[in-house]
C-alpha cells in the first residue's frame, strides 16, 4: 500500500474514533461499574474502611441475566427452491449441514454469551469472519464491540470497520522483530508498560494492521480476496431514527444510580455501626467506668443509665428502595427475574404481566441478532466458495443423535446460493411454552404448514431429516396396525373353517424378525413376498 493510501486509512480510523467518542465514554463507564471499579468514574467515592462496593451490582446482574437468555443459538436451515423436488430438497439439506458445520467449527455457541452481552451493554454486536487456511473453512469470531468502529452503507451492510485492541509487546516483537527498533525510536509507546495498541482496519479492498503509537508502524497488510469487508456489525436500536448513527447501551443511564446506591449503603452501614458503638449516658455518681464488650457498671440511679440513641432516618432506606426500583425500570427487568415476586402475584396472568417488558426486549434483540447471523452465514458461504472452490471437504456431525458424514465441494454444493433461514423459534419474544401452544393451535387450524411449524419450534434440529423420519414412522405404524387387524380376524377364520396356519406363521415370522432388530418394512417385504412363478409344463413331443 502506498503512503498516500495508508495516510487515508489512518485518517478514516481517527474520524471513526471521533464519531464514536460519546459511545466510548459511556461504554467505559458501564464496564467500570460492572467490574466494581467505581473510583474510575468518581474519585474518592470509597472511604478507607470500605474500599470496594458494598451493595449488589444490579447493572452486572441484569447484563448477565439478559446474556444468558440470548445465549442459545437459533436454528440454521436452508430452504429448498421447490417443496416437490427431491433434488432441490437434497441440495438444501446439504447446505444446511454445511452452514451448521461453520457454526460448530467456529465454536459459536460458546461465544454467543459475549455477543449478547456486547449488544445489550455497549449498543452493538460485532462479528468477524476470517479464513482458517489450515482447515480450509471460514471461522466466525465475536468481537468486543467497545473497540470496534464500523461504517455502514444505506443497505445496513458493514462496508468498513476499525478494531482497536491491546496486545503484549513480547508476542508482537517475537513475530515482528522490526518492532523492537521502532519501539526504541518511540519511547513511551507501551501501554501499561508491556502492551502495544494495535489497530486493524478492513474494507472491501484492503486489510491493514498497524501500531499507531510507534509512528503507525505497519505489521502486515494484504488485499482482500473476497471484495467484501470481513466484519459484520449490527447496532442496537437507539430511537434516533438513523441506522447506527447513535449507539447506546441499555445501562448507560444506570451508572450513577448504581454509585448512589453504594453511597447510601455505606452511610447506612456507618449509621448502624455508630448506633451499636454509641457512648453510654451515665449519672454523675459513677466514677469507675468499665470498657469492653458487654461490660457492666453499677450506679445508685439505674433509671439514668442508657445508650446514646443514634436514629437513622427512615427516608434513607426508602431512597435506596426507590433507586433499586428505578434501576430495574431502566434496565427493563423486574422482580420476577430474581425470584422476588409479590405473594399476591400467584396467577399466570400476573406473572406474564411481570415478564412483559423483558419479553418484548428479548424479541427485539433476537430479531437484530438474527439479522446479524444472517449476514455472517452468507459471508461464510461466500468465503468458502471464493477461497476453496474445488477442495473436497468432509463434514461429520450428529443429527438428532444420529451421526452422519457428508462430503461436499463448495463450487458444486453451494453453487452461488448463499441464502440461509435463521429462526429463534420464540415467536414475538414468547417463552418456549407459549410459543409451542401458539404454533400447535395455528397448525391445527390449518394456518401453518408442518414445515414452517417445525422451523419455528424452540429446538435445533434438521427439519428435512426430521420430516423423513416422521413419514417413516407413520408408514411403520400403519404396517403394525394392519398386522394387528389381521390377527383379530383369526377367530372368524377358524369359525368359517379356513386354515389360519399360514397367517399365524407370517405373524410369528414378523415377531422373530423384530426380535432380531430388523426394520418392520423389511420383514413385511420378506414374509409376504409373492411365491415364485410355477415353471411352465414342457410342450408335448410331436408324432
Amino acid at each position: 500500500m502506498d503512503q498516500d493510501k495508508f495516510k487515508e486509512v489512518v485518517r478514516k480510523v481517527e474520524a471513526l474514533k471521533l464519531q464514536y467518542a460519546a459511545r466510548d465514554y459511556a461504554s467505559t463507564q458501564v464496564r467500570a461499574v460492572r467490574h466494581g471499579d467505581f473510583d474510575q468514574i468518581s474519585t474518592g467515592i470509597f472511604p478507607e474502611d470500605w474500599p470496594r462496593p458494598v451493595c449488589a451490582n444490579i447493572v452486572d446482574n441484569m447484563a448477565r441475566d439478559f446474556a444468558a437468555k440470548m445465549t442459545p443459538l437459533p436454528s440454521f436451515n436452508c430452504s429448498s427452491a421447490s417443496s416437490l423436488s427431491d433434488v432441490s430438497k437434497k441440495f438444501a439439506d446439504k447446505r444446511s449441514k454445511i452452514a451448521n458445520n461453520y457454526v460448530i467449527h467456529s465454536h459459536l455457541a460458546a461465544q454467543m454469551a459475549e455477543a449478547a452481552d456486547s449488544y445489550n451493554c455497549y449498543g452493538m454486536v460485532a462479528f468477524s469472519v476470517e479464513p482458517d487456511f489450515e482447515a480450509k473453512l471460514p471461522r466466525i469470531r465475536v468481537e468486543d464491540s467497545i473497540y470496534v468502529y464500523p461504517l455502514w452503507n444505506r443497505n445496513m451492510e458493514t462496508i468498513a470497520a476499525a478494531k482497536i485492541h491491546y496486545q503484549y509487546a513480547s508476542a508482537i516483537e517475537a513475530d515482528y522483530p522490526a518492532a523492537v527498533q521502532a519501539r526504541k525510536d518511540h519511547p513511551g509507546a507501551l501501554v501499561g508498560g508491556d502492551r502495544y495498541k494495535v489497530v486493524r482496519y478492513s474494507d472491501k479492498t484492503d486489510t491493514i494492521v498497524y501500531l499507531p503509537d510507534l509512528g503507525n508502524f505497519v505489521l502486515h497488510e494484504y488485499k482482500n480476496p473476497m471484495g467484501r469487508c470481513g466484519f459484520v456489525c449490527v447496532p442496537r436500536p437507539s430511537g434516533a431514527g438513523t441506522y447506527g448513527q447513535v449507539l447506546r447501551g441499555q445501562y448507560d443511564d444506570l451508572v450513577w444510580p448504581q454509585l448512589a446506591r453504594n453511597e447510601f449503603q455505606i452511610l447506612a452501614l456507618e449509621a448502624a455501626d455508630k448506633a451499636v458503638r454509641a457512648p453510654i449516658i451515665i449519672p454523675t455518681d459513677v466514677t469507675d467506668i468499665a470498657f469492653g464488650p458487654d461490660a457492666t457498671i453499677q450506679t445508685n440511679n439505674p433509671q439514668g443509665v442508657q445508650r446514646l440513641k443514634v436514629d437513622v432516618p427512615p427516608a434513607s432506606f426508602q431512597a435506596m428502595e426507590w433507586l433499586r426500583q428505578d434501576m430495574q425500570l431502566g434496565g427493563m427487568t423486574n422482580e420476577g427475574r430474581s425470584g422476588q415476586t409479590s405473594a399476591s402475584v400467584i396467577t399466570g396472568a400476573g406473572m406474564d404481566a411481570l415478564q412483559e417488558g423483558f419479553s418484548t426486549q428479548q424479541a427485539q434483540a433476537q430479531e437484530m441478532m438474527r439479522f446479524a447471523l444472517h449476514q455472517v452465514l452468507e459471508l461464510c458461504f461466500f468465503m468458502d466458495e471464493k477461497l476453496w472452490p474445488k477442495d473436497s471437504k468432509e463434514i461429520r456431525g450428529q443429527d438428532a443423535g444420529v451421526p452422519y458424514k457428508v462430503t461436499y465441494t463448495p463450487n458444486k454444493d453451494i453453487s452461488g446460493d448463499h441464502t440461509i433461514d435463521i429462526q429463534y423459534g420464540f415467536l414475538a419474544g414468547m417463552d418456549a411454552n407459549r410459543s409451542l401452544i401458539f404454533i400447535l393451535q395455528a397448525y391445527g387450524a390449518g394456518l401453518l404448514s408442518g414445515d414452517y411449524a417445525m422451523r419455528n419450534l424452540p429446538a435445533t434440529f434438521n427439519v428435512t431429516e426430521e420430516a423423513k423420519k416422521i413419514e417413516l414412522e407413520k408408514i411403520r405404524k400403519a404396517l403394525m396396525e394392519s398386522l394387528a387387524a389381521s390377527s383379530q380376524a383369526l377367530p372368524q377364520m377358524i369359525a368359517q373353517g379356513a386354515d389360519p396356519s399360514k397367517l399365524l406363521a407370517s405373524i410369528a415370522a414378523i415377531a422373530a424378525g423384530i426380535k432380531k432388530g430388523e426394520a418392520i418394512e423389511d420383514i413385511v417385504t420378506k414374509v409376504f413376498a409373492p411365491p415364485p412363478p410355477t415353471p411352465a409344463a414342457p410342450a408335448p413331443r410331436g408324432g
Side-chain angles (χ1 to χ4, degrees), residues 61-120:
N61 291 340
M62 289 189 297
R64 292 180 181 275
D65 183 50
F66 179 86
K69 289 289 291 183
M70 287 293 298
T71 294
L73 282 170
S75 61
F76 301 92
N77 289 288
C78 295
S79 302
S80 60
S82 173
S83 59
L84 303 178
S85 172
D86 290 337
V87 176
S88 180
K89 287 183 178 180
K90 290 180 180 179
F91 178 69
D93 180 59
K94 179 172 282 191
R95 287 196 302 114
S96 296
K97 289 183 171 65
I98 294 172
N100 282 278
N101 184 61
Y102 297 152
V103 173
I104 296 172
H105 175 71
S106 304
H107 309 293
L108 188 58
Q111 301 183 70
M112 282 304 294
E114 294 296 333
D117 191 276
S118 290
Y119 170 83
N120 204 45

Side-chain angles (χ1 to χ4, degrees), residues 312-422:
V312 179
S316 61
F317 296 100
Q318 189 176 11
M320 290 181 62
E321 181 63 20
W322 286 343
L323 283 171
R324 185 184 65 81
Q325 294 177 358
D326 190 65
M327 291 186 68
Q328 288 182 338
L329 181 63
M332 289 290 287
T333 186
N334 47 63
E335 294 181 349
R337 298 299 304 165
S338 59
Q340 299 177 1
T341 58
S342 172
S344 61
V345 184
I346 57 176
T347 63
M351 289 302 298
D352 289 344
L354 283 176
Q355 298 286 349
E356 187 63 28
F358 190 86
S359 179
T360 54
Q361 180 187 215
Q362 179 185 343
Q364 182 193 71
Q366 286 177 347
E367 183 62 31
M368 301 305 293
M369 198 68 70
R370 189 176 72 88
F371 176 60
L373 292 173
H374 191 275
Q375 296 182 64
V376 168
L377 266 297
E378 282 188 342
L379 190 57
C380 287
F381 277 130
F382 184 81
M383 179 181 291
D384 199 0
E385 193 175 14
K386 186 75 174 179
L387 299 184
W388 308 283
K390 298 181 180 180
D391 291 343
S392 179
K393 306 173 190 180
E394 185 178 271
I395 298 175
R396 294 176 180 267
Q398 286 193 349
D399 182 14
V402 179
Y404 64 82
K405 182 174 70 172
V406 176
T407 302
Y408 79 96
T409 306
N411 62 352
K412 174 185 175 182
D413 296 303
I414 298 177
S415 186
D417 192 346
H418 305 154
T419 58
I420 184 76
D421 183 23
I422 301 175

Side-chain angles (χ1 to χ4, degrees), residues 195-208:
R195 288 174 296 171
Y196 284 124
K197 180 180 179 181
V198 184
V199 177
R200 175 190 172 192
Y201 176 82
S202 177
D203 57 19
K204 67 179 182 179
T205 58
D206 298 283
T207 296
I208 182 169

Side-chain angles (χ1 to χ4, degrees), residues 33 38 55-60 62 250-251 253-262 320-334:
V33 166
F38 296 176
C55 63
N57 198 328
I58 295 181
V59 174
D60 189 58
M62 289 189 297
Q250 180 71 48
Y251 314 113
D253 298 329
L254 304 184
V255 171
W256 289 99
Q258 178 68 42
L259 269 61
R261 287 189 71 251
N262 184 76
M320 290 181 62
E321 181 63 20
W322 286 343
L323 283 171
R324 185 184 65 81
Q325 294 177 358
D326 190 65
M327 291 186 68
Q328 288 182 338
L329 181 63
M332 289 290 287
T333 186
N334 47 63

